[in-house]
Amino acid sequence: MTAHISNDPLHGVTLEMMVNALVARYGWSELGDRIKINCFIKDPSVKSSLKFLRRTPWARAEVEALYLESLDDDGIAPADEPAFNPWANSRITKS
């Protein structure tokens, strides 16, 4: 039996994980500049941001879009190409 593999990059990523990753990458001030939402600008916290984003679909969509954009900027290798090849520097030569 084969396991179902999702092609959705947001599969398994919670909203809290997205907010924490964006805050770690940009900080609250730059995050507030990139997405004009008061919960990122005035007295920001993860808890208040999550409360607002869960009730506001357009804001959540903007956070998801910025998160996906930040993943593209990181240069993450596609799923079919391993990030590390343990055999790349092997001393054994193929015949």
mmCIF file of all heavy atoms in Angstrom, residues 43-91:
data_model
loop_
_atom_site.group_PDB
_atom_site.id
_atom_site.type_symbol
_atom_site.label_atom_id
_atom_site.label_comp_id
_atom_site.label_asym_id
_atom_site.label_seq_id
_atom_site.Cartn_x
_atom_site.Cartn_y
_atom_site.Cartn_z
ATOM 1 N N ASP A 43 1.709 46.570 19.466
ATOM 2 C CA ASP A 43 1.819 45.605 20.555
ATOM 3 C C ASP A 43 1.684 44.165 20.048
ATOM 4 O O ASP A 43 0.769 43.433 20.431
ATOM 5 C CB ASP A 43 0.761 45.904 21.625
ATOM 6 C CG ASP A 43 1.031 45.180 22.939
ATOM 7 O OD1 ASP A 43 2.206 44.867 23.204
ATOM 8 O OD2 ASP A 43 0.061 44.913 23.668
ATOM 9 N N PRO A 44 2.591 43.727 19.163
ATOM 10 C CA PRO A 44 2.455 42.407 18.539
ATOM 11 C C PRO A 44 2.792 41.263 19.491
ATOM 12 O O PRO A 44 3.672 41.371 20.342
ATOM 13 C CB PRO A 44 3.461 42.466 17.393
ATOM 14 C CG PRO A 44 4.499 43.426 17.858
ATOM 15 C CD PRO A 44 3.784 44.434 18.698
ATOM 16 N N SER A 45 2.056 40.180 19.325
ATOM 17 C CA SER A 45 2.361 38.918 20.002
ATOM 18 C C SER A 45 1.812 37.789 19.139
ATOM 19 O O SER A 45 0.912 37.995 18.324
ATOM 20 C CB SER A 45 1.752 38.871 21.405
ATOM 21 O OG SER A 45 0.358 38.710 21.333
ATOM 22 N N VAL A 46 2.365 36.621 19.324
ATOM 23 C CA VAL A 46 1.916 35.472 18.537
ATOM 24 C C VAL A 46 0.459 35.153 18.873
ATOM 25 O O VAL A 46 -0.358 34.911 17.986
ATOM 26 C CB VAL A 46 2.829 34.248 18.792
ATOM 27 C CG1 VAL A 46 2.270 33.011 18.115
ATOM 28 C CG2 VAL A 46 4.235 34.526 18.300
ATOM 29 N N LYS A 47 0.124 35.201 20.159
ATOM 30 C CA LYS A 47 -1.233 34.845 20.582
ATOM 31 C C LYS A 47 -2.283 35.773 19.974
ATOM 32 O O LYS A 47 -3.295 35.322 19.428
ATOM 33 C CB LYS A 47 -1.323 34.885 22.106
ATOM 34 C CG LYS A 47 -2.648 34.436 22.650
ATOM 35 C CD LYS A 47 -2.656 34.417 24.165
ATOM 36 C CE LYS A 47 -4.020 33.995 24.677
ATOM 37 N NZ LYS A 47 -4.058 33.979 26.139
ATOM 38 N N SER A 48 -2.052 37.100 20.036
ATOM 39 C CA SER A 48 -3.035 38.032 19.481
ATOM 40 C C SER A 48 -3.099 37.932 17.962
ATOM 41 O O SER A 48 -4.168 38.059 17.370
ATOM 42 C CB SER A 48 -2.713 39.472 19.903
ATOM 43 O OG SER A 48 -1.502 39.901 19.330
ATOM 44 N N SER A 49 -1.948 37.687 17.335
ATOM 45 C CA SER A 49 -1.925 37.540 15.878
ATOM 46 C C SER A 49 -2.717 36.323 15.439
ATOM 47 O O SER A 49 -3.487 36.378 14.482
ATOM 48 C CB SER A 49 -0.484 37.436 15.377
ATOM 49 O OG SER A 49 0.229 38.595 15.705
ATOM 50 N N LEU A 50 -2.534 35.203 16.144
ATOM 51 C CA LEU A 50 -3.265 33.984 15.794
ATOM 52 C C LEU A 50 -4.761 34.170 15.967
ATOM 53 O O LEU A 50 -5.550 33.714 15.135
ATOM 54 C CB LEU A 50 -2.786 32.816 16.656
ATOM 55 C CG LEU A 50 -1.372 32.319 16.379
ATOM 56 C CD1 LEU A 50 -0.982 31.263 17.406
ATOM 57 C CD2 LEU A 50 -1.245 31.784 14.975
ATOM 58 N N LYS A 51 -5.157 34.849 17.028
ATOM 59 C CA LYS A 51 -6.579 35.094 17.263
ATOM 60 C C LYS A 51 -7.185 35.885 16.105
ATOM 61 O O LYS A 51 -8.265 35.563 15.605
ATOM 62 C CB LYS A 51 -6.752 35.853 18.581
ATOM 63 C CG LYS A 51 -8.175 36.038 18.998
ATOM 64 C CD LYS A 51 -8.252 36.691 20.374
ATOM 65 C CE LYS A 51 -9.679 36.869 20.807
ATOM 66 N NZ LYS A 51 -9.774 37.490 22.125
ATOM 67 N N PHE A 52 -6.477 36.930 15.649
ATOM 68 C CA PHE A 52 -6.973 37.746 14.539
ATOM 69 C C PHE A 52 -6.957 36.963 13.233
ATOM 70 O O PHE A 52 -7.927 36.988 12.466
ATOM 71 C CB PHE A 52 -6.127 39.017 14.406
ATOM 72 C CG PHE A 52 -6.512 39.864 13.232
ATOM 73 C CD1 PHE A 52 -7.663 40.633 13.259
ATOM 74 C CD2 PHE A 52 -5.740 39.889 12.083
ATOM 75 C CE1 PHE A 52 -8.034 41.407 12.181
ATOM 76 C CE2 PHE A 52 -6.094 40.660 10.997
ATOM 77 C CZ PHE A 52 -7.245 41.419 11.047
ATOM 78 N N LEU A 53 -5.860 36.272 12.950
ATOM 79 C CA LEU A 53 -5.723 35.574 11.666
ATOM 80 C C LEU A 53 -6.719 34.425 11.522
ATOM 81 O O LEU A 53 -7.163 34.134 10.411
ATOM 82 C CB LEU A 53 -4.298 35.056 11.505
ATOM 83 C CG LEU A 53 -3.228 36.141 11.371
ATOM 84 C CD1 LEU A 53 -1.836 35.528 11.440
ATOM 85 C CD2 LEU A 53 -3.409 36.920 10.087
ATOM 86 N N ARG A 54 -7.081 33.790 12.606
ATOM 87 C CA ARG A 54 -8.053 32.692 12.539
ATOM 88 C C ARG A 54 -9.455 33.193 12.214
ATOM 89 O O ARG A 54 -10.270 32.457 11.673
ATOM 90 C CB ARG A 54 -8.058 31.917 13.848
ATOM 91 C CG ARG A 54 -6.833 31.056 14.005
ATOM 92 C CD ARG A 54 -6.860 30.252 15.280
ATOM 93 N NE ARG A 54 -5.656 29.436 15.371
ATOM 94 C CZ ARG A 54 -4.888 29.360 16.446
ATOM 95 N NH1 ARG A 54 -5.208 30.018 17.545
ATOM 96 N NH2 ARG A 54 -3.817 28.605 16.444
ATOM 97 N N ARG A 55 -9.741 34.458 12.549
ATOM 98 C CA ARG A 55 -11.071 35.022 12.287
ATOM 99 C C ARG A 55 -11.136 35.836 11.003
ATOM 100 O O ARG A 55 -12.219 36.242 10.585
ATOM 101 C CB ARG A 55 -11.488 35.926 13.451
ATOM 102 C CG ARG A 55 -11.759 35.177 14.728
ATOM 103 C CD ARG A 55 -12.234 36.097 15.822
ATOM 104 N NE ARG A 55 -11.130 36.971 16.237
ATOM 105 C CZ ARG A 55 -11.259 38.257 16.554
ATOM 106 N NH1 ARG A 55 -12.425 38.834 16.536
ATOM 107 N NH2 ARG A 55 -10.227 38.960 16.925
ATOM 108 N N THR A 56 -9.993 36.087 10.365
ATOM 109 C CA THR A 56 -9.952 36.982 9.216
ATOM 110 C C THR A 56 -9.305 36.274 8.027
ATOM 111 O O THR A 56 -8.070 36.206 7.929
ATOM 112 C CB THR A 56 -9.164 38.260 9.574
ATOM 113 O OG1 THR A 56 -9.580 38.714 10.863
ATOM 114 C CG2 THR A 56 -9.392 39.335 8.543
ATOM 115 N N PRO A 57 -10.111 35.744 7.115
ATOM 116 C CA PRO A 57 -9.567 34.955 5.999
ATOM 117 C C PRO A 57 -8.601 35.714 5.083
ATOM 118 O O PRO A 57 -7.602 35.153 4.646
ATOM 119 C CB PRO A 57 -10.812 34.517 5.222
ATOM 120 C CG PRO A 57 -11.949 34.674 6.164
ATOM 121 C CD PRO A 57 -11.568 35.759 7.114
ATOM 122 N N TRP A 58 -8.877 36.997 4.789
ATOM 123 C CA TRP A 58 -7.992 37.726 3.877
ATOM 124 C C TRP A 58 -6.619 37.946 4.494
ATOM 125 O O TRP A 58 -5.594 37.892 3.805
ATOM 126 C CB TRP A 58 -8.604 39.067 3.454
ATOM 127 C CG TRP A 58 -8.792 40.045 4.578
ATOM 128 C CD1 TRP A 58 -9.925 40.241 5.311
ATOM 129 C CD2 TRP A 58 -7.816 40.949 5.102
ATOM 130 N NE1 TRP A 58 -9.726 41.208 6.255
ATOM 131 C CE2 TRP A 58 -8.430 41.669 6.155
ATOM 132 C CE3 TRP A 58 -6.501 41.241 4.789
ATOM 133 C CZ2 TRP A 58 -7.766 42.647 6.893
ATOM 134 C CZ3 TRP A 58 -5.839 42.213 5.535
ATOM 135 C CH2 TRP A 58 -6.466 42.906 6.564
ATOM 136 N N ALA A 59 -6.567 38.150 5.807
ATOM 137 C CA ALA A 59 -5.284 38.350 6.483
ATOM 138 C C ALA A 59 -4.498 37.041 6.535
ATOM 139 O O ALA A 59 -3.280 37.022 6.330
ATOM 140 C CB ALA A 59 -5.510 38.891 7.883
ATOM 141 N N ARG A 60 -5.213 35.951 6.792
ATOM 142 C CA ARG A 60 -4.554 34.648 6.816
ATOM 143 C C ARG A 60 -3.980 34.319 5.433
ATOM 144 O O ARG A 60 -2.877 33.790 5.328
ATOM 145 C CB ARG A 60 -5.539 33.570 7.250
ATOM 146 C CG ARG A 60 -4.888 32.203 7.326
ATOM 147 C CD ARG A 60 -5.864 31.130 7.739
ATOM 148 N NE ARG A 60 -5.186 29.856 7.783
ATOM 149 C CZ ARG A 60 -5.289 29.012 8.778
ATOM 150 N NH1 ARG A 60 -6.046 29.276 9.812
ATOM 151 N NH2 ARG A 60 -4.636 27.870 8.747
ATOM 152 N N ALA A 61 -4.704 34.660 4.381
ATOM 153 C CA ALA A 61 -4.224 34.415 3.018
ATOM 154 C C ALA A 61 -2.938 35.199 2.748
ATOM 155 O O ALA A 61 -2.016 34.694 2.099
ATOM 156 C CB ALA A 61 -5.303 34.777 2.008
ATOM 157 N N GLU A 62 -2.855 36.416 3.260
ATOM 158 C CA GLU A 62 -1.640 37.212 3.059
ATOM 159 C C GLU A 62 -0.456 36.623 3.818
ATOM 160 O O GLU A 62 0.664 36.599 3.319
ATOM 161 C CB GLU A 62 -1.879 38.657 3.480
ATOM 162 C CG GLU A 62 -2.815 39.373 2.527
ATOM 163 C CD GLU A 62 -2.643 40.881 2.574
ATOM 164 O OE1 GLU A 62 -1.610 41.359 3.073
ATOM 165 O OE2 GLU A 62 -3.547 41.566 2.089
ATOM 166 N N VAL A 63 -0.701 36.127 5.021
ATOM 167 C CA VAL A 63 0.359 35.494 5.807
ATOM 168 C C VAL A 63 0.830 34.217 5.112
ATOM 169 O O VAL A 63 2.032 33.958 5.011
ATOM 170 C CB VAL A 63 -0.124 35.204 7.245
ATOM 171 C CG1 VAL A 63 0.837 34.299 7.984
ATOM 172 C CG2 VAL A 63 -0.311 36.507 7.998
ATOM 173 N N GLU A 64 -0.106 33.416 4.609
ATOM 174 C CA GLU A 64 0.256 32.194 3.894
ATOM 175 C C GLU A 64 1.064 32.511 2.636
ATOM 176 O O GLU A 64 2.042 31.827 2.333
ATOM 177 C CB GLU A 64 -0.995 31.394 3.538
ATOM 178 C CG GLU A 64 -1.662 30.760 4.739
ATOM 179 C CD GLU A 64 -2.980 30.089 4.403
ATOM 180 O OE1 GLU A 64 -3.489 30.255 3.273
ATOM 181 O OE2 GLU A 64 -3.519 29.404 5.297
ATOM 182 N N ALA A 65 0.679 33.560 1.921
ATOM 183 C CA ALA A 65 1.405 33.942 0.709
ATOM 184 C C ALA A 65 2.827 34.383 1.042
ATOM 185 O O ALA A 65 3.781 34.004 0.342
ATOM 186 C CB ALA A 65 0.659 35.051 -0.020
ATOM 187 N N LEU A 66 2.991 35.171 2.095
ATOM 188 C CA LEU A 66 4.335 35.604 2.491
ATOM 189 C C LEU A 66 5.161 34.421 2.970
ATOM 190 O O LEU A 66 6.358 34.335 2.673
ATOM 191 C CB LEU A 66 4.256 36.673 3.583
ATOM 192 C CG LEU A 66 5.601 37.235 4.047
ATOM 193 C CD1 LEU A 66 6.335 37.905 2.893
ATOM 194 C CD2 LEU A 66 5.406 38.217 5.192
ATOM 195 N N TYR A 67 4.546 33.492 3.667
ATOM 196 C CA TYR A 67 5.249 32.294 4.121
ATOM 197 C C TYR A 67 5.745 31.477 2.923
ATOM 198 O O TYR A 67 6.893 31.042 2.891
ATOM 199 C CB TYR A 67 4.340 31.453 5.008
ATOM 200 C CG TYR A 67 4.985 30.177 5.494
ATOM 201 C CD1 TYR A 67 5.925 30.203 6.515
ATOM 202 C CD2 TYR A 67 4.655 28.952 4.931
ATOM 203 C CE1 TYR A 67 6.528 29.037 6.959
ATOM 204 C CE2 TYR A 67 5.245 27.783 5.371
ATOM 205 C CZ TYR A 67 6.180 27.829 6.390
ATOM 206 O OH TYR A 67 6.773 26.663 6.811
ATOM 207 N N LEU A 68 4.886 31.285 1.933
ATOM 208 C CA LEU A 68 5.288 30.538 0.735
ATOM 209 C C LEU A 68 6.398 31.272 -0.020
ATOM 210 O O LEU A 68 7.324 30.640 -0.535
ATOM 211 C CB LEU A 68 4.083 30.310 -0.180
ATOM 212 C CG LEU A 68 3.040 29.328 0.343
ATOM 213 C CD1 LEU A 68 1.830 29.306 -0.575
ATOM 214 C CD2 LEU A 68 3.634 27.944 0.476
ATOM 215 N N GLU A 69 6.299 32.587 -0.080
ATOM 216 C CA GLU A 69 7.338 33.381 -0.739
ATOM 217 C C GLU A 69 8.666 33.236 0.002
ATOM 218 O O GLU A 69 9.718 33.136 -0.620
ATOM 219 C CB GLU A 69 6.910 34.844 -0.765
ATOM 220 C CG GLU A 69 7.874 35.761 -1.455
ATOM 221 C CD GLU A 69 7.384 37.199 -1.418
ATOM 222 O OE1 GLU A 69 6.231 37.447 -1.796
ATOM 223 O OE2 GLU A 69 8.175 38.066 -0.985
ATOM 224 N N SER A 70 8.614 33.195 1.323
ATOM 225 C CA SER A 70 9.848 33.052 2.095
ATOM 226 C C SER A 70 10.450 31.660 1.905
ATOM 227 O O SER A 70 11.668 31.501 1.981
ATOM 228 C CB SER A 70 9.607 33.343 3.575
ATOM 229 O OG SER A 70 8.877 32.314 4.188
ATOM 230 N N LEU A 71 9.610 30.651 1.666
ATOM 231 C CA LEU A 71 10.135 29.318 1.383
ATOM 232 C C LEU A 71 10.872 29.301 0.060
ATOM 233 O O LEU A 71 11.911 28.661 -0.068
ATOM 234 C CB LEU A 71 9.004 28.285 1.347
ATOM 235 C CG LEU A 71 8.354 27.908 2.663
ATOM 236 C CD1 LEU A 71 7.258 26.883 2.419
ATOM 237 C CD2 LEU A 71 9.361 27.390 3.656
ATOM 238 N N ASP A 72 10.346 30.005 -0.941
ATOM 239 C CA ASP A 72 11.003 30.083 -2.239
ATOM 240 C C ASP A 72 12.338 30.813 -2.135
ATOM 241 O O ASP A 72 13.299 30.454 -2.804
ATOM 242 C CB ASP A 72 10.114 30.797 -3.259
ATOM 243 C CG ASP A 72 8.882 29.990 -3.630
ATOM 244 O OD1 ASP A 72 8.897 28.760 -3.412
ATOM 245 O OD2 ASP A 72 7.919 30.585 -4.119
ATOM 246 N N ASP A 73 12.407 31.817 -1.267
ATOM 247 C CA ASP A 73 13.635 32.581 -1.094
ATOM 248 C C ASP A 73 14.723 31.765 -0.420
ATOM 249 O O ASP A 73 15.907 32.027 -0.615
ATOM 250 C CB ASP A 73 13.380 33.847 -0.254
ATOM 251 C CG ASP A 73 12.514 34.850 -0.987
ATOM 252 O OD1 ASP A 73 12.358 34.717 -2.218
ATOM 253 O OD2 ASP A 73 11.991 35.764 -0.327
ATOM 254 N N ASP A 74 14.341 30.789 0.392
ATOM 255 C CA ASP A 74 15.319 29.970 1.100
ATOM 256 C C ASP A 74 16.055 29.022 0.164
ATOM 257 O O ASP A 74 17.101 28.506 0.519
ATOM 258 C CB ASP A 74 14.649 29.147 2.201
ATOM 259 C CG ASP A 74 14.251 30.004 3.393
ATOM 260 O OD1 ASP A 74 14.783 31.119 3.519
ATOM 261 O OD2 ASP A 74 13.422 29.556 4.187
ATOM 262 N N GLY A 75 15.504 28.766 -1.009
ATOM 263 C CA GLY A 75 16.141 27.855 -1.942
ATOM 264 C C GLY A 75 16.028 26.410 -1.503
ATOM 265 O O GLY A 75 16.960 25.639 -1.632
ATOM 266 N N ILE A 76 14.893 26.055 -0.958
ATOM 267 C CA ILE A 76 14.681 24.689 -0.501
ATOM 268 C C ILE A 76 14.646 23.763 -1.712
ATOM 269 O O ILE A 76 13.995 24.054 -2.709
ATOM 270 C CB ILE A 76 13.379 24.573 0.316
ATOM 271 C CG1 ILE A 76 13.531 25.386 1.594
ATOM 272 C CG2 ILE A 76 13.040 23.136 0.621
ATOM 273 C CD1 ILE A 76 12.283 25.430 2.431
ATOM 274 N N ALA A 77 15.362 22.653 -1.617
ATOM 275 C CA ALA A 77 15.419 21.700 -2.722
ATOM 276 C C ALA A 77 14.060 21.035 -2.902
ATOM 277 O O ALA A 77 13.360 20.777 -1.923
ATOM 278 C CB ALA A 77 16.475 20.641 -2.441
ATOM 279 N N PRO A 78 13.671 20.753 -4.145
ATOM 280 C CA PRO A 78 12.420 20.037 -4.380
ATOM 281 C C PRO A 78 12.453 18.660 -3.720
ATOM 282 O O PRO A 78 13.516 18.115 -3.441
ATOM 283 C CB PRO A 78 12.354 19.907 -5.905
ATOM 284 C CG PRO A 78 13.279 20.943 -6.428
ATOM 285 C CD PRO A 78 14.309 21.167 -5.382
ATOM 286 N N ALA A 79 11.278 18.100 -3.490
ATOM 287 C CA ALA A 79 11.160 16.845 -2.761
ATOM 288 C C ALA A 79 11.847 15.682 -3.468
ATOM 289 O O ALA A 79 12.344 14.776 -2.821
ATOM 290 C CB ALA A 79 9.689 16.514 -2.543
ATOM 291 N N ASP A 80 11.919 15.703 -4.794
ATOM 292 C CA ASP A 80 12.512 14.578 -5.506
ATOM 293 C C ASP A 80 14.042 14.666 -5.552
ATOM 294 O O ASP A 80 14.699 13.717 -5.933
ATOM 295 C CB ASP A 80 11.943 14.466 -6.917
ATOM 296 C CG ASP A 80 12.162 15.721 -7.736
ATOM 297 O OD1 ASP A 80 12.436 16.769 -7.143
ATOM 298 O OD2 ASP A 80 12.047 15.653 -8.973
ATOM 299 N N GLU A 81 14.638 15.788 -5.160
ATOM 300 C CA GLU A 81 16.085 15.930 -5.119
ATOM 301 C C GLU A 81 16.540 16.035 -3.671
ATOM 302 O O GLU A 81 16.155 16.956 -2.969
ATOM 303 C CB GLU A 81 16.522 17.201 -5.854
ATOM 304 C CG GLU A 81 16.216 17.197 -7.325
ATOM 305 C CD GLU A 81 16.636 18.496 -7.985
ATOM 306 O OE1 GLU A 81 17.450 19.238 -7.393
ATOM 307 O OE2 GLU A 81 16.153 18.776 -9.064
ATOM 308 N N PRO A 82 17.354 15.105 -3.205
ATOM 309 C CA PRO A 82 17.804 15.197 -1.822
ATOM 310 C C PRO A 82 18.729 16.399 -1.627
ATOM 311 O O PRO A 82 19.501 16.755 -2.514
ATOM 312 C CB PRO A 82 18.551 13.884 -1.592
ATOM 313 C CG PRO A 82 18.936 13.411 -2.945
ATOM 314 C CD PRO A 82 17.877 13.931 -3.883
ATOM 315 N N ALA A 83 18.644 17.010 -0.466
ATOM 316 C CA ALA A 83 19.473 18.172 -0.174
ATOM 317 C C ALA A 83 20.924 17.760 0.040
ATOM 318 O O ALA A 83 21.843 18.527 -0.208
ATOM 319 C CB ALA A 83 18.935 18.890 1.050
ATOM 320 N N PHE A 84 21.152 16.533 0.494
ATOM 321 C CA PHE A 84 22.492 16.046 0.757
ATOM 322 C C PHE A 84 22.644 14.685 0.122
ATOM 323 O O PHE A 84 21.834 13.791 0.338
ATOM 324 C CB PHE A 84 22.736 15.950 2.261
ATOM 325 C CG PHE A 84 24.039 15.282 2.603
ATOM 326 C CD1 PHE A 84 25.231 15.940 2.391
ATOM 327 C CD2 PHE A 84 24.073 14.012 3.125
ATOM 328 C CE1 PHE A 84 26.431 15.328 2.692
ATOM 329 C CE2 PHE A 84 25.266 13.394 3.432
ATOM 330 C CZ PHE A 84 26.449 14.054 3.223
ATOM 331 N N ASN A 85 23.677 14.508 -0.658
ATOM 332 C CA ASN A 85 23.949 13.231 -1.301
ATOM 333 C C ASN A 85 25.171 12.613 -0.633
ATOM 334 O O ASN A 85 26.292 13.086 -0.834
ATOM 335 C CB ASN A 85 24.200 13.425 -2.792
ATOM 336 C CG ASN A 85 24.417 12.097 -3.509
ATOM 337 O OD1 ASN A 85 24.431 11.043 -2.894
ATOM 338 N ND2 ASN A 85 24.574 12.171 -4.812
ATOM 339 N N PRO A 86 24.999 11.571 0.175
ATOM 340 C CA PRO A 86 26.136 10.990 0.886
ATOM 341 C C PRO A 86 27.139 10.310 -0.043
ATOM 342 O O PRO A 86 28.265 10.054 0.354
ATOM 343 C CB PRO A 86 25.489 9.972 1.827
ATOM 344 C CG PRO A 86 24.199 9.636 1.188
ATOM 345 C CD PRO A 86 23.757 10.886 0.472
ATOM 346 N N TRP A 87 26.760 10.045 -1.274
ATOM 347 C CA TRP A 87 27.639 9.349 -2.211
ATOM 348 C C TRP A 87 28.361 10.299 -3.152
ATOM 349 O O TRP A 87 29.151 9.875 -3.990
ATOM 350 C CB TRP A 87 26.843 8.320 -3.012
ATOM 351 C CG TRP A 87 26.043 7.426 -2.138
ATOM 352 C CD1 TRP A 87 24.691 7.380 -2.051
ATOM 353 C CD2 TRP A 87 26.527 6.470 -1.201
ATOM 354 N NE1 TRP A 87 24.285 6.481 -1.127
ATOM 355 C CE2 TRP A 87 25.400 5.893 -0.577
ATOM 356 C CE3 TRP A 87 27.785 6.057 -0.812
ATOM 357 C CZ2 TRP A 87 25.513 4.910 0.403
ATOM 358 C CZ3 TRP A 87 27.886 5.082 0.169
ATOM 359 C CH2 TRP A 87 26.765 4.520 0.755
ATOM 360 N N ALA A 88 28.141 11.576 -3.021
ATOM 361 C CA ALA A 88 28.737 12.531 -3.951
ATOM 362 C C ALA A 88 30.257 12.555 -3.873
ATOM 363 O O ALA A 88 30.939 12.733 -4.872
ATOM 364 C CB ALA A 88 28.170 13.927 -3.702
ATOM 365 N N ASN A 89 30.828 12.393 -2.698
ATOM 366 C CA ASN A 89 32.289 12.465 -2.530
ATOM 367 C C ASN A 89 32.898 11.106 -2.249
ATOM 368 O O ASN A 89 33.940 11.016 -1.591
ATOM 369 C CB ASN A 89 32.616 13.440 -1.390
ATOM 370 C CG ASN A 89 32.173 14.850 -1.718
ATOM 371 O OD1 ASN A 89 32.241 15.255 -2.854
ATOM 372 N ND2 ASN A 89 31.731 15.570 -0.708
ATOM 373 N N SER A 90 32.301 10.075 -2.769
ATOM 374 C CA SER A 90 32.783 8.727 -2.542
ATOM 375 C C SER A 90 34.101 8.492 -3.262
ATOM 376 O O SER A 90 34.336 8.995 -4.370
ATOM 377 C CB SER A 90 31.751 7.717 -3.033
ATOM 378 O OG SER A 90 32.244 6.424 -2.926
ATOM 379 N N ARG A 91 34.989 7.706 -2.651
ATOM 380 C CA ARG A 91 36.281 7.375 -3.280
ATOM 381 C C ARG A 91 36.150 6.222 -4.258
ATOM 382 O O ARG A 91 37.062 5.969 -5.048
ATOM 383 C CB ARG A 91 37.289 6.989 -2.203
ATOM 384 C CG ARG A 91 37.664 8.127 -1.341
ATOM 385 C CD ARG A 91 38.756 7.716 -0.396
ATOM 386 N NE ARG A 91 38.626 8.464 0.819
ATOM 387 C CZ ARG A 91 39.183 8.178 1.948
ATOM 388 N NH1 ARG A 91 39.937 7.109 2.042
ATOM 389 N NH2 ARG A 91 39.019 8.924 2.991
#
